[in-house]
Amino acid sequence: MTIEAEPESPRERQRLSLSTAGARQLATTTKSAPQMRGISSRWLLRRLPWVQVSGGTYRVNRRLSLAVGRGRVGFVQAGADDVRIIPETLRELPPLRGFDDDELLAELAGRFTPRDFRHGDIIVEEGRPIREVYILAHGRVERTATGKYGGRNTVGVLADGDHLGDEALLQSDPLWTATVRATTAGTIMALPWSAFVSLVERSDRLRTHIDRFLANSSRKVNSKGEVEVEVAAGHEGEHEIPGTFVDYELAPREYELSLTQTVLRVHSRVADLYNDPMNQLEQQLRLTVEEIRERQESELLNNREFGLLSNADYDQRINTHSGPPTPDDMDDLLSMRRGTDLFLAHPKAIAAFFRECTKRGIYPDATEVDGHRIPAWRGVPIFPCGKIPIADGHTSSILAMRTGEDDQGVIGLHQAGIPDEYEPSLNVRFMGIDDTAVMRYLVTAYYSTAILVQDAVGVLENVDIAAPRS
């Protein structure tokens, strides 16, 4: 019987040449520079016009305005049936703006009672007398009014924190000018008008405050709420020409430069011995600056003091009509200002908008910006920005803005030429070497942003970005 020998395995076979693993011990390895996943496109930083602020503070002088903005009232919820108004936020109602009696505000907040509503409920009807003040605690309602030719027109959508009925102060015979219908289930806080009137009659301070509000409301203003400048036009002969002047705000807003800082630590041994082929300090500094710039863009959007999302005027905020961002919503956002330069949206919000366009058979165009093809709507580019927050996992916001000082838009603020400058308005300062031979460098970026006039930025809120189930 013949027994065949088994073939040798690759491991048992004698090697005839140097292996690649061994050869690598003598070879020079080609390396990449350190990579970083957290670097984004940072379109906001790239598209904002940056204005030099030599004194560290930028003052926005505006023409005197008597229009009182409509803010959002806040709530606390201790349980399903325990919804309460945060008293201090009642100052967001125009008649109570600037009122400083916290005890009276607390009493007024306690007089509101919660009232649940269901989808399709009519909350108020057009033409009926205003007998209650309403603040929407949760849910969404739609305001519709009779058009010129008898049809029903949608004139607005209200959501959490919005209010209606306080306009009765400005009417001799207060009537609802629109029908308010619920488009979702929710809760509304109601205050009988008589309860508010009795509180005004009882408190001298509140009555004085309301009288001052009514006096300002009776002065002539233009369509933007600014004090009217009297001019004459179309006259003939020896017509008396009115005299006038342009009044300014006496307490203009000032923006101080904010900052982002960190201390970069590098061991002296690393900096001395491991700088070939790449300088270790330069690479550490490069990635640190990238992270600072990412945080800078996030602050320009989300900071409570100067961020665009927090400081956009409430009159420039609108809600979507149905939840997802539709072409109609984007048109409404565009119509709120002249010369919109850009949209800024979370990538998921852009995807949701394109889904709505696809449903209607609409295919948005694109525009070229700095060599990149950017999606656009009505010729205005829509830039992606992942730093716009997503609330509750499915709602976000879309910003539209006009930029530049000459157009009274949104501007970025910085101070170039600072000591030890590494990039404009960013410096790196050597802080010495400690007892463990670690070198320390203070890396600081100075920046802020300013909205020159209220309509420079608008926000489409409560944008539903959730993809529909198939």
Side-chain angles (χ1 to χ4, degrees):
M1 181 176 64
T2 304
I3 301 177
E4 296 183 1
E6 295 183 0
E8 293 181 338
S9 65
R11 291 185 179 181
E12 296 174 349
R13 188 178 303 153
Q14 186 177 7
R15 192 167 53 223
L16 302 178
S17 64
L18 180 66
S19 68
T20 55
R24 287 187 58 191
Q25 307 307 312
L26 299 180
T28 299
T29 302
T30 301
K31 296 174 284 293
S32 74
Q35 307 298 303
M36 178 176 170
R37 292 179 59 187
I39 298 176
S40 65
S41 54
R42 298 201 293 263
W43 280 110
L44 179 60
L45 296 186
R46 295 160 66 178
R47 303 309 301 174
L48 274 184
W50 290 92
V51 174
Q52 173 74 359
V53 182
S54 298
T57 302
Y58 186 90
R59 178 183 297 161
V60 178
N61 291 307
R62 289 175 176 169
R63 182 173 162 184
L64 180 62
S65 175
L66 296 178
V68 182
R70 305 180 66 83
R72 299 282 171 80
V73 176
F75 298 87
V76 291
Q77 186 169 356
D81 300 321
D82 188 5
V83 181
R84 301 175 188 175
I85 294 173
I86 300 174
E88 292 78 10
T89 63
L90 286 176
R91 295 189 180 97
E92 299 297 338
L93 277 67
L96 298 177
R97 183 62 58 84
F99 186 62
D100 58 0
D101 191 331
D102 289 343
E103 292 185 4
L104 201 61
L105 289 177
E107 181 180 348
L108 182 60
R111 296 192 178 193
F112 281 84
T113 57
R115 188 179 301 168
D116 293 334
F117 57 83
R118 297 174 298 178
H119 172 73
D121 286 352
I122 301 296
I123 297 174
V124 300
E125 290 190 54
E126 181 181 3
R128 295 289 184 89
I130 298 178
R131 303 194 186 281
E132 291 183 305
V133 178
Y134 298 106
I135 302 177
L136 191 60
H138 177 67
R140 183 193 297 264
V141 299
E142 185 179 62
R143 298 176 70 239
T144 60
T146 304
K148 181 178 180 180
Y149 301 104
R152 301 297 298 178
N153 297 329
T154 300
V155 295
V157 177
L158 305 179
D160 302 6
D162 285 323
H163 35 87
L164 58 159
D166 55 273
E167 61 268 25
L169 275 175
L170 306 177
Q171 304 176 28
S172 57
D173 184 19
L175 301 174
W176 291 109
T177 58
T179 296
V180 177
R181 183 181 65 86
T183 57
T184 67
T187 302
I188 201 166
M189 306 294 286
L191 173 72
W193 187 249
S194 58
F196 178 72
V197 173
S198 66
L199 198 61
V200 172
E201 293 174 349
R202 198 191 75 196
S203 171
D204 292 338
R205 293 182 65 184
L206 182 56
R207 183 166 59 251
T208 301
H209 183 85
I210 295 297
D211 289 343
R212 188 183 303 115
F213 168 75
L214 294 175
N216 287 334
S217 300
S218 63
R219 294 179 62 181
K220 292 183 178 180
V221 297
N222 61 17
S223 60
K224 302 297 184 181
E226 298 168 329
V227 176
E228 188 176 62
V229 175
E230 296 186 18
V231 296
H235 51 277
E236 297 180 0
E238 298 178 353
H239 187 276
E240 183 178 353
I241 301 175
T244 189
F245 67 96
V246 180
D247 206 354
Y248 305 136
E249 289 184 352
L250 295 180
R253 178 166 182 180
E254 293 185 346
Y255 295 86
E256 293 186 0
L257 292 184
S258 182
L259 77 166
T260 296
Q261 287 182 309
T262 190
V263 176
L264 174 63
R265 297 182 177 92
V266 180
H267 200 284
S268 59
R269 180 184 299 176
V270 172
D272 291 342
L273 303 180
Y274 300 97
N275 280 333
D276 186 26
M278 285 174 243
N279 186 287
Q280 292 285 351
L281 176 59
E282 288 183 0
Q283 296 302 322
Q284 288 282 303
L285 187 57
R286 177 179 65 85
L287 296 180
T288 300
V289 169
E290 292 285 358
E291 189 61 42
I292 286 178
R293 292 305 190 193
E294 292 291 329
R295 182 59 179 268
Q296 176 181 345
E297 186 175 58
S298 177
E299 291 288 301
L300 293 181
L301 285 167
N302 301 304
N303 187 282
R304 293 290 301 174
E305 295 298 324
F306 58 85
L308 298 178
L309 285 171
S310 300
N311 290 270
D313 194 85
Y314 281 107
D315 290 338
Q316 295 296 317
R317 301 170 185 261
I318 59 174
N319 284 279
T320 59
H321 287 87
S322 58
T326 65
D328 296 332
D329 295 322
M330 298 292 275
D331 284 342
D332 287 345
L333 193 58
L334 270 179
S335 68
M336 296 167 65
R337 76 200 45 77
R338 58 178 173 83
T340 301
D341 292 319
L342 61 94
F343 290 108
L344 202 66
H346 194 282
K348 292 185 177 180
I350 298 176
F353 172 62
F354 273 68
R355 285 196 297 269
E356 294 301 311
C357 291
T358 302
K359 288 180 183 178
R360 301 189 181 194
I362 299 173
Y363 301 97
D365 54 358
T367 185
E368 187 167 325
V369 178
D370 297 339
H372 299 270
R373 294 288 291 174
I374 303 296
W377 179 250
R378 308 293 189 193
V380 179
I382 308 174
F383 292 104
C385 180
K387 299 174 185 68
I388 298 177
I390 297 177
D392 303 323
H394 64 90
T395 58
S396 186
S397 301
I398 297 177
L399 289 86
M401 66 184 76
R402 181 178 65 249
T403 59
E405 273 190 311
D406 293 340
D407 287 332
Q408 302 178 94
V410 179
I411 58 173
L413 307 177
H414 72 173
Q415 184 171 331
I418 57 179
D420 301 316
E421 192 170 62
Y422 180 79
E423 291 182 358
S425 201
L426 184 149
N427 63 1
V428 181
R429 289 190 152 180
F430 179 61
M431 298 175 64
I433 304 176
D434 63 18
D435 293 341
T436 61
V438 173
M439 300 184 297
R440 296 179 300 148
Y441 296 85
L442 177 64
V443 187
T444 308
Y446 298 97
Y447 56 86
S448 187
T449 185
I451 302 172
L452 298 187
V453 295
Q454 291 89 334
D455 70 344
V457 59
V459 184
L460 180 65
E461 297 184 313
N462 298 316
V463 174
D464 191 349
I465 62 173
R469 294 182 179 179
S470 56

